[in-house]
């Protein structure tokens, strides 16, 4: 077994900080990579070494395989952790790392390729006990053939992109008269998003829940599931709130779905951490949706109910270790809820907001965890994904976890940009969410912008203090050798502010 000594984290923001933390726990050295706007970010500060990717946008930095590999070579990193997003599900990246003699902390390039093509995944599972939504086995490009198959499947149908998940290229078709134009627009979106216009057709399952199972598999054929996550509170295919376990699964369903998830992993000779996504219809039938071959954003809720550190498990598996536990050794303990914090304005159709974080004061106390990459004064830019933090709570049952989340959301101060924190408060307090009886249409059915409370006046005072903090931080961060008068400058600023306030 080859012990990993130095990991290059090929990511940014909260997940880069998250991975570095586990590396520190394990005494593994870390290398951060950063774009120009990320030069002073938290993950760069926390890493032992940092390498500039010399660019602004993702396409010039975190998505450039050659730059990442060169940074790993330059620093002597013996492994790369891709996090999620960016190159985490790019088979060419996994291959490039392996060819450079660098351990890719994730599944094989072959598994990434197999599961990345949604029709290959479906074909793999044909003849197994894993239930698939009725639909075409293969991609389909001939319009008249596709229309014939759609009527065989029975409307409403869903046209999906073969080359990618996440809803891109997806079209729901209720009326046969709309089929052709929907298929052409789906092919066009798929071509633009993935460079691959292949599509396939499934029976559209009305009002499904999105429930996914966490998989862990070592390189010796041992595979377990770490139970499920309920991810139905979504907006435009973007998960907003996740929880574990789901409030609708019976122990029998959990066992059947867990076995199906393990079957998916085994049939693709999977190793590493992976997630098998299912759709559950209103009759509680479940259907395989897709498999994600990366650590997911929402992994903390699984960590909290199982007590495992999934990044540590990924590293151990990459080192060739045995899992060291079996399914019978695993149990759900308590309940966890995660609220994703996006720099978006929920009162303005969730438009992304940019600016500088003035004040970031995170909640703490019993059962509260915050995974964020935020430092006071940092810039939230349009260059990257607007998710800047995750607030997670745990308690012995769902009611307790929700109650703690409500308290933590009240405590959480993040000013300078609009965020989805008030939206999360709305959801946590909503009786339908609290009942557990909701599906992927919850936001569409129950949320209106007027539900968002505007900022309290107290915040204005905090802003001023925060503004001072940010100025002080900025000066301190950028002070030249001979300044030394930071406190004095700040005193003048305070006087100025007091004069202005009168
Ligand atoms: C579906 C579906 C219903 N029936 N497939 C696929 C990508 C993933 N993000 C959501 N997907 C879905 N696939 C069948 N056969 C419902 C979803 C779905 C969804 C679809 C449209 C709009 C919002 C959605 C939210 C969650 C799940």
């Amino acid at each position: 077994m080859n012990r990993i000594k130095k990991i290059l984290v090929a990511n940014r923001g909260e997940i880069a900080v998250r991975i570095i933390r586990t590396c520190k726990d394990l005494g593994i050295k870390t290398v951060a990579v950063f774009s120009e706007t990320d030069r002073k970010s938290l993950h760069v500060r926390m890493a032992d070494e940092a390498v500039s990717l010399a660019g602004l946008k993702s396409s010039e930095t975190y998505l450039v395989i050659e730059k990442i590999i060169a940074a790993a070579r330059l620093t002597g990193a013996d492994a790369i952790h891709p996090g999620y997003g960016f190159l985490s599900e790019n088979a060419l990246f996994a291959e490039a790392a392996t060819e450079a003699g660098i351990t890719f902390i994730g599944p094989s390039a072959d598994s990434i390729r197999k599961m990345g093509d949604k029709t290959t995944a479906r074909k793999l599972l044909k003849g197994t006990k894993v239930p698939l939504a009725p639909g075409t086995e293969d991609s389909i490009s001939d319009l008249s053939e596709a229309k014939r198959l759609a009527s065989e499947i029975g409307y409403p149908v869903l046209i999906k992109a073969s080359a990618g998940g996440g809803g891109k290229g997806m079209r729901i078709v209720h009326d046969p008269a709309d089929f052709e134009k929907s298929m052409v627009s789906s092919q066009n979106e798929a071509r633009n998003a993935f460079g691959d216009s292949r599509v396939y057709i499934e029976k559209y399952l009305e009002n499904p829940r999105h429930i996914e199972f966490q998989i862990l598999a070592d390189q010796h054929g041992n595979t377990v599931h770490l139970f499920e996550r309920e991810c139905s509170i979504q907006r435009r295919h973007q998960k907003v709130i996740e929880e574990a376990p789901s409030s609708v699964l019976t122990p029998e369903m959990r066992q059947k779905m867990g076995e199906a998830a393990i079957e998916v992993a085994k049939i693709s000779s999977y190793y590493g951490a992976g997630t098998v996504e299912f759709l559950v219809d209103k009759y509680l039938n479940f259907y395989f949706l897709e498999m994600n071959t990366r650590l997911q954003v929402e992994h903390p809720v699984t960590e909290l109910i199982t007590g495992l550190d999934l990044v540590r498990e990924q590293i151990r598996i990459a080192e060739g270790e045995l899992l060291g536990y079996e399914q019978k050794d695993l149990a759900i303990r308590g309940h966890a809820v995660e609220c994703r914090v996006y720099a978006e304005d929920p009162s303005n159709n969730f438009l992304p907001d940019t600016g500088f974080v003035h004040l970031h004061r995170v909640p703490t106390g019993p059962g509260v965890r915050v995974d964020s990459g935020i430092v006071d004064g940092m810039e939230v830019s349009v260059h990257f994904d607007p998710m800047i933090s995750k607030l997670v709570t745990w308690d012995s049952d769902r009611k307790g976890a929700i109650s703690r989340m409500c308290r933590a959301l009240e405590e959480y101060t993040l000013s300078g940009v609009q965020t989805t924190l008030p939206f999360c408060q709305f959801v946590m307090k909503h009786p339908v969410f609290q009942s557990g009886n909701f599906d992927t249409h919850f936001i569409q059915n129950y949320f209106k912008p007027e539900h968002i409370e505007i900022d309290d006046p107290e915040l204005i005072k905090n802003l001023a203090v925060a503004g001072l903090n940010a100025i002080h931080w900025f000066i301190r961060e950028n002070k030249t050798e001979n300044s030394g008068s930071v406190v004095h400058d700040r005193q003048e600023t305070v006087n100025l502010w007091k004069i202005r306030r009168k």
Side-chain angles (χ1 to χ4, degrees):
M1 182 174 54
N2 56 332
R3 277 269 169 252
I4 292 170
K5 297 177 187 61
K6 185 185 282 191
I7 293 177
L8 182 145
V9 181
N11 217 300
R12 63 182 298 280
E14 70 88 11
I15 193 61
V17 170
R18 166 73 188 82
I19 295 163
I20 290 169
R21 282 180 170 141
T22 290
C23 293
K24 284 176 181 285
D25 291 350
L26 298 173
I28 294 175
K29 292 291 181 199
T30 52
V31 178
V33 288
F34 61 91
S35 67
E36 267 325 295
T37 46
D38 280 343
R39 178 174 290 276
K40 293 202 173 298
S41 56
L42 186 55
H43 78 284
V44 173
R45 294 166 181 216
M46 288 176 73
D48 299 296
E49 295 175 74
V51 180
S52 168
L53 297 172
L56 274 178
K57 299 179 294 191
S58 307
S59 56
E60 301 163 347
T61 54
Y62 300 101
L63 287 173
V64 183
I65 294 177
E66 297 72 22
K67 286 189 176 181
I68 307 290
I69 301 296
R73 284 203 167 106
L74 175 72
T75 54
D78 47 11
I80 290 175
H81 195 305
Y84 53 66
F86 293 130
L87 296 168
S88 62
E89 296 189 285
N90 183 313
L92 293 174
F93 181 53
E95 280 167 350
T98 308
E99 277 151 27
I102 299 164
T103 300
F104 178 77
I105 298 176
S108 66
D110 185 47
S111 289
I112 295 174
R113 221 168 249 120
K114 267 183 206 156
M115 288 305 165
D117 183 304
K118 308 306 170 192
T119 46
T120 308
R122 283 171 62 86
K123 252 182 286 181
L124 258 177
L125 298 172
K126 194 152 176 50
T128 69
K129 65 183 180 213
V130 180
L132 297 175
T136 60
E137 220 172 86
D138 242 322
S139 305
I140 183 98
S141 53
D142 177 89
L143 259 181
S144 50
E145 171 66 359
K147 194 163 183 183
R148 186 184 64 76
L149 286 170
S151 49
E152 258 179 39
I153 292 166
Y155 287 88
V157 296
L158 202 52
I159 304 172
K160 293 182 169 181
S162 303
K168 279 205 177 85
M170 233 167 70
R171 297 291 182 278
I172 305 175
V173 186
H174 292 273
D175 181 341
D178 300 332
F179 184 84
E180 289 189 19
K181 74 172 181 339
S182 300
M183 179 146 164
V184 169
S185 92
S186 168
Q187 288 171 316
N188 292 339
E189 187 177 344
R191 186 181 303 106
N192 295 335
F194 309 111
D196 179 343
S197 62
R198 290 176 304 130
V199 295
Y200 64 104
I201 304 165
E202 284 183 356
K203 174 78 181 160
Y204 178 60
L205 304 168
E206 310 271 358
N207 306 334
R209 296 178 83 114
H210 179 131
I211 295 178
E212 60 189 30
F213 272 70
Q214 180 67 55
I215 287 290
L216 272 185
D218 63 22
Q219 299 191 52
H220 310 279
N222 303 302
T223 306
V224 295
H225 71 78
L226 300 183
F227 312 107
E228 79 276 7
R229 293 184 289 259
E230 171 80 59
C231 304
S232 298
I233 309 292
Q234 303 190 11
R235 233 194 96 260
R236 292 192 201 143
H237 304 291
Q238 182 191 74
K239 296 165 186 167
V240 186
I241 289 168
E242 304 100 342
E243 60 182 298
S246 166
S247 47
V248 292
L249 289 198
T250 61
E252 296 70 32
M253 270 194 80
R254 180 169 292 116
Q255 176 161 357
K256 277 173 64 180
M257 292 176 78
E259 285 166 2
I262 288 173
E263 170 81 8
V264 173
K266 285 195 178 289
I267 207 156
S268 56
S269 323
Y270 196 82
Y271 62 81
T275 296
V276 178
E277 293 188 355
F278 296 100
L279 290 172
V280 177
D281 69 16
K282 51 193 168 199
Y283 311 107
L284 291 187
N285 301 313
F286 66 90
Y287 302 92
F288 171 78
L289 183 57
E290 54 196 59
M291 179 172 194
N292 301 320
T293 58
R294 65 178 188 272
L295 182 67
Q296 306 241 154
V297 169
E298 59 270 24
H299 75 274
V301 295
T302 301
E303 295 187 319
L304 289 170
I305 65 164
T306 60
L308 286 173
D309 173 337
L310 292 185
V311 173
R312 176 184 301 181
E313 295 308 297
Q314 286 184 296
I315 294 169
R316 294 179 54 241
I317 289 166
E319 289 177 325
E321 266 196 50
L322 291 167
L323 284 183
Y325 42 82
E326 296 169 14
Q327 197 63 51
K328 65 176 176 37
D329 304 320
L330 298 164
I332 294 173
R333 184 172 175 277
H335 197 101
V337 179
E338 175 180 89
C339 286
R340 297 188 187 197
V341 184
Y342 288 94
E344 293 175 341
D345 183 354
S347 66
N348 187 7
N349 198 23
F350 292 86
L351 271 182
D353 196 22
T354 56
F356 290 85
V357 173
H358 295 151
L359 194 63
H360 186 232
R361 293 295 172 270
V362 298
T364 179
V368 178
R369 164 174 164 177
V370 176
D371 282 16
S372 106
I374 296 170
V375 282
D376 285 352
M378 75 174 247
E379 182 184 5
V380 177
S381 80
V382 284
H383 293 304
F384 302 109
D385 182 283
M387 192 188 79
I388 52 179
S389 177
K390 295 171 340 196
L391 174 59
V392 201
T393 56
W394 176 91
D395 206 334
S396 52
D397 60 21
R398 184 170 192 264
K399 190 165 182 290
I402 291 173
S403 172
R404 277 178 169 168
M405 181 58 82
C406 291
R407 185 260 299 169
L409 283 164
E410 263 174 42
E411 252 185 77
Y412 201 149
T413 304
L414 203 172
S415 61
V417 287
Q418 291 299 328
T419 72
T420 49
L421 283 167
F423 169 74
C424 295
Q425 284 176 320
F426 159 79
V427 176
M428 286 302 127
K429 291 173 181 160
H430 199 285
V432 168
F433 176 78
Q434 295 193 354
S435 77
N437 182 20
F438 53 83
D439 60 45
T440 48
H441 293 79
F442 173 87
I443 295 177
Q444 188 180 315
N445 293 343
Y446 301 104
F447 174 67
K448 291 182 180 50
E450 50 269 26
H451 290 133
I452 293 294
E453 281 137 44
I454 48 166
D455 287 341
D456 61 19
E458 183 61 15
L459 190 72
I460 308 300
K461 189 170 72 59
N462 286 343
L463 272 177
V465 172
L468 286 172
N469 282 334
I471 293 165
H472 187 54
W473 176 85
F474 189 79
I475 292 168
R476 193 178 60 234
E477 280 303 300
N478 297 283
K479 70 180 183 307
T480 53
E481 290 321 301
N482 60 0
S483 65
S485 60
V486 172
V487 174
H488 177 67
D489 283 350
R490 195 166 178 274
Q491 194 49 41
E492 272 174 359
T493 314
V494 170
N495 295 339
L496 190 64
W497 176 67
K498 279 183 181 153
I499 295 163
R500 217 177 277 152
R501 198 180 51 165
K502 280 179 188 133

